[in-house]
Amino acid sequence: MTLSQHAMSVGRAVDPIYVDYSIFSTLLTCEEKARLSYVEHLRSIDEPLSLGFGAAFHAGVESYWRSGTVQDARAGFLTEIKRRGTALPISMDADEKRSVERGIYLLECYIEKYQGETYEVMRRPDDGKPYVELGFAVHFMDWKDQPVHYVGKIDSVKRSLVDGRVRNFELKTTSLGLSRYLEQVRPNHQVTGYFLGAKSLGLDPAGTIWDCVYISDRKPDPKKGGWMTFGIDSEKDFGRRETRRSEVDVDEFLTDLRYATTRFLSLRDSKLRRWTRNAPAACYMYGGCQYLEVCATNLNENIIRSKFKVEKWAPWEGIINREVMKA
């Protein structure tokens, strides 16, 4: 069902509501964090280095998938750092493990490690553009006569040169132990949602490749040679695992998604001053919540004005499919 068809079915043109994995997962982590992020749209002026580094690495790999050149990969990485204003240290000798040098070397090692892989990036039949950062939108419920769409972007969609089947690829950077992080592939709502998204685009993925990159604090060691000269271990710093989903898995994901979305929209429309805080469980996850000081000072306006900017979360921007399928 297209968006215009859906609007006609309810008798008038209506603007859709968009929900993505970030809204979904944040609400389940902490309702107040979801309010500050996706209702108040507060973004930290000083972006956490982990977010900037991860986004830059994604941009570098995306540039490589699009062009196939290492030069473009480096340029994509550096351009994203500059665009976001992320204050990464330059040298790997810094105390901070995330640096420009480590990012570039990790990126180049990643490309070398997988350049002979048995997967090729698929391309759109109409214009030949690669299936990279592939946007999707799926209508999965209504809220007060408004259609609600689940949106997202799949990092890349590739076809196996061995069995000819399609795989979604989800790229992650992490400072957690890689063997443990690879276990997070299932259950995983983000990954399951990509199966739903891919099918809405007419694709039939056999599975998703959970493609993980470890960010270590390893220092360069020229004596060991190879990539260890630059502090990168080509075996320990990269890992992949394939995961599959059944129709039942997707249906159960939709059950959770509808529950969380109903809760989010009910709270949004309630106009409550603040929502329930999950303290301290959510406050110290992944190095600490960016809103920790806001909650600790009970929404101190001076803290909010001095440390945050308003930047609307717009996950629907750049979605390429023209038809919104119904789940």
Side-chain angles (χ1 to χ4, degrees):
M1 178 182 292
T2 67
L3 180 56
S4 59
Q5 288 170 337
H6 182 84
M8 290 174 62
S9 71
V10 297
R12 61 187 177 88
V14 291
D15 293 327
I17 298 170
Y18 297 99
V19 175
D20 71 341
Y21 174 73
S22 294
I23 294 174
F24 174 34
S25 63
T26 302
L27 182 83
L28 296 180
T29 299
C30 176
E31 291 180 352
E32 177 65 349
K33 183 176 182 180
R35 185 188 72 85
L36 293 169
S37 295
Y38 307 116
V39 177
E40 299 299 329
H41 302 293
L42 297 182
R43 298 286 176 267
S44 176
I45 293 174
D46 297 320
E47 180 183 64
L49 296 184
S50 58
L51 292 180
F53 184 93
F57 192 87
H58 269 79
V61 173
E62 177 189 346
S63 296
Y64 174 72
W65 283 337
R66 290 187 185 279
S67 72
T69 70
V70 177
Q71 291 83 356
D72 283 345
R74 290 194 205 101
F77 179 88
L78 295 172
T79 298
E80 184 65 10
I81 290 175
K82 183 177 180 179
R83 186 187 73 82
R84 300 175 75 97
T86 307
L88 288 176
I90 301 298
S91 174
M92 294 175 70
D93 292 330
D95 292 335
E96 168 58 47
K97 65 177 65 177
R98 295 173 178 85
S99 66
V100 174
E101 279 191 344
R102 188 177 301 279
I104 292 293
Y105 291 137
L106 268 175
L107 184 59
E108 292 179 355
C109 187
Y110 175 93
I111 291 170
E112 180 183 283
K113 182 178 182 68
Y114 295 119
Q115 64 183 355
E117 67 180 356
T118 56
Y119 294 97
E120 61 179 2
V121 177
M122 294 181 63
R123 294 183 176 272
R124 291 171 57 178
D126 53 347
D127 57 16
K129 291 183 179 179
Y131 280 173
V132 175
E133 288 296 302
L134 185 63
F136 63 85
V138 180
H139 169 241
F140 69 97
M141 64 176 279
D142 291 330
W143 177 256
K144 299 178 180 179
D145 291 333
Q146 279 186 276
V148 185
H149 300 160
Y150 183 68
V151 299
K153 290 183 180 178
I154 305 170
D155 286 343
S156 69
V157 178
K158 301 183 181 182
R159 189 184 304 279
S160 170
L161 300 177
V162 176
D163 62 16
R165 297 293 304 278
V166 173
R167 271 42 171 215
N168 298 327
F169 272 68
E170 174 62 15
L171 177 64
K172 295 291 187 184
T173 57
T174 179
S175 59
L176 298 176
L178 200 57
S179 60
R180 191 176 74 177
Y181 194 76
L182 285 167
E183 294 296 328
Q184 295 185 19
V185 71
R186 182 185 179 95
N188 187 309
H189 282 324
Q190 185 178 27
V191 169
T192 308
Y194 289 155
F195 280 83
L196 177 68
K199 290 193 174 184
S200 78
L201 296 170
L203 302 169
D204 184 22
T208 289
I209 305 297
W210 185 243
D211 189 10
C212 303
V213 178
Y214 176 60
I215 306 165
S216 75
D217 56 4
R218 194 183 304 110
K219 299 301 182 183
D221 189 348
K223 293 182 181 179
K224 292 185 177 180
W227 283 105
M228 289 295 289
T229 301
F230 309 105
I232 308 299
D233 190 317
S234 60
E235 297 300 321
K236 294 181 180 180
D237 292 349
F238 306 94
R240 286 180 171 180
R241 184 161 299 177
E242 181 170 0
T243 184
R244 298 170 186 255
R245 295 293 189 271
S246 67
E247 292 296 330
V248 174
D249 292 327
V250 174
D251 287 343
E252 291 299 322
F253 161 75
L254 284 167
T255 296
D256 292 336
L257 179 62
R258 290 185 181 108
Y259 171 84
T261 300
T262 299
R263 177 65 176 165
F264 177 80
L265 295 175
S266 297
L267 286 167
R268 184 202 64 176
D269 293 352
S270 72
K271 307 300 181 183
L272 289 170
R273 183 180 69 89
R274 73 164 178 83
W275 302 354
T276 302
R277 299 180 295 197
N278 185 9
C283 303
Y284 302 98
M285 292 173 63
Y286 307 117
C289 175
Q290 64 174 321
Y291 305 114
L292 181 61
E293 193 172 357
V294 174
C295 291
T297 59
N298 297 307
L299 306 178
N300 185 292
E301 289 294 332
N302 292 326
I303 296 294
I304 293 174
R305 282 194 298 268
S306 64
K307 296 194 174 184
F308 294 87
K309 58 184 176 181
V310 175
E311 184 177 287
K312 189 171 183 180
W313 182 245
W316 58 89
E317 292 182 352
I319 301 302
I320 66 168
N321 60 313
R322 296 178 178 84
E323 292 193 351
V324 178
M325 304 301 293
K326 192 161 185 174

